[in-house]
Amino acid sequence: VRVVVSESVSRIDSGFMVNGYKAKSVLLATGSKATFGESSGYLYERYGHQNTNLRPALVPMLTAPNNLKGLRGVRVKALVKLFADNKYIGECRDEVIFKDNGVSGTAIFNLSLMLARVPYKFAYLTLDLMPEYNYDEVKALIKKLGGVENLFHKELVNNILRKGDDLDSIAKTIKNYQLDNARLGSMELAQICCGGLLTDDFDSN
């Protein structure tokens, strides 16, 4: 067996000729652009293969700036629900990390995987900031504490109060903190890539 490393492969010629080396077969394990590799589809093109639409996944999401003011770096545990074109797609209860232009964290990464697999024009996220309590229990707790100030980070409290400072409005915002225009982050930030070569073009045997 001859081992050859550190050679760039840009094409596979007929008869499995690779950089002048003759092979009986070729196994491509190039990864994707999400893993600092390349989309290997172009190496297959001379054999008639095609790529499906490639999308980043396990990635932060970008959202509209409303409800993000001052929240960069703030972390919360929340029940996050994803909607695309007003249809419920899925949910995840885990950590959310606010950013200047969107959200990250385990819950967001898991939901990005769902969003990468559905066609959509407009998507949004809703965060239940106190999923362990129902609406009436949230109201009762806020009333007992005399306000919402000690329940969350001060900047998150400010964003909640901007939606209305009466008891009903505060409870509604806590149970339904909405982030509009949700979309997948860039491929450079993704851990994986959804899509790839059309599997119907391959013989499984």
Side-chain angles (χ1 to χ4, degrees):
V1 175
R2 182 175 182 184
V3 179
V4 181
V5 299
S6 300
E7 283 201 26
S8 176
V9 177
S10 61
R11 57 184 289 170
I12 302 172
D13 292 316
S14 59
F16 290 146
M17 290 292 295
V18 181
N19 289 13
Y21 301 105
K22 173 72 174 176
K24 291 182 179 179
S25 59
V26 174
L27 170 66
L28 275 111
T30 62
S32 70
K33 291 182 179 179
T35 53
F36 304 103
E38 292 294 335
S39 173
S40 56
Y42 68 92
L43 291 172
Y44 283 101
E45 284 178 357
R46 69 183 295 113
Y47 298 102
H49 294 294
Q50 299 178 55
N51 268 323
T52 63
N53 190 25
L54 302 177
R55 283 182 167 183
L58 294 181
V59 66
M61 288 194 201
L62 304 175
T63 68
N66 59 308
N67 294 335
L68 294 178
K69 186 175 181 181
L71 295 182
R72 180 181 180 182
V74 174
R75 298 168 182 256
V76 295
K77 286 287 184 72
L79 173 63
V80 189
K81 296 182 180 180
L82 170 65
F83 298 85
D85 297 331
N86 292 318
K87 293 181 180 179
Y88 169 81
I89 303 300
E91 62 186 56
C92 183
R93 182 173 173 173
D94 214 314
E95 186 178 64
V96 176
I97 304 171
F98 289 96
K99 304 174 72 176
D100 287 334
N101 58 353
V103 279
S104 186
T106 307
I108 304 305
F109 273 47
N110 289 337
L111 292 176
S112 74
L113 189 58
M114 299 180 192
L115 189 60
R117 291 173 170 168
V118 297
Y120 69 95
K121 293 181 179 178
F122 179 81
Y124 65 92
L125 300 165
T126 63
L127 280 64
D128 183 346
L129 300 172
M130 297 179 70
E132 63 273 26
Y133 298 99
N134 63 35
Y135 172 74
D136 289 330
E137 289 170 337
V138 170
K139 284 181 62 177
L141 181 59
I142 294 170
K143 188 174 182 180
K144 179 181 179 181
L145 295 174
V148 72
E149 284 73 14
N150 295 321
L151 289 175
F152 305 104
H153 186 281
K154 63 180 181 178
E155 293 296 346
L156 183 53
V157 169
N158 290 338
N159 278 278
I160 291 170
L161 294 178
R162 286 189 188 98
K163 298 295 182 181
D165 57 5
D166 60 282
L167 188 57
D168 283 326
S169 295
I170 292 171
K172 287 178 181 176
T173 303
I174 288 173
K175 296 297 288 181
N176 189 42
Y177 195 87
Q178 187 163 321
L179 300 174
D180 293 322
N181 194 22
R183 55 209 186 276
L184 299 167
S186 68
M187 190 70 80
E188 288 75 20
L189 297 176
Q191 293 186 14
I192 64 170
C193 173
C194 274
L197 293 162
L198 286 168
T199 55
D200 289 344
D201 290 342
F202 292 88
D203 182 351
S204 61
N205 294 318

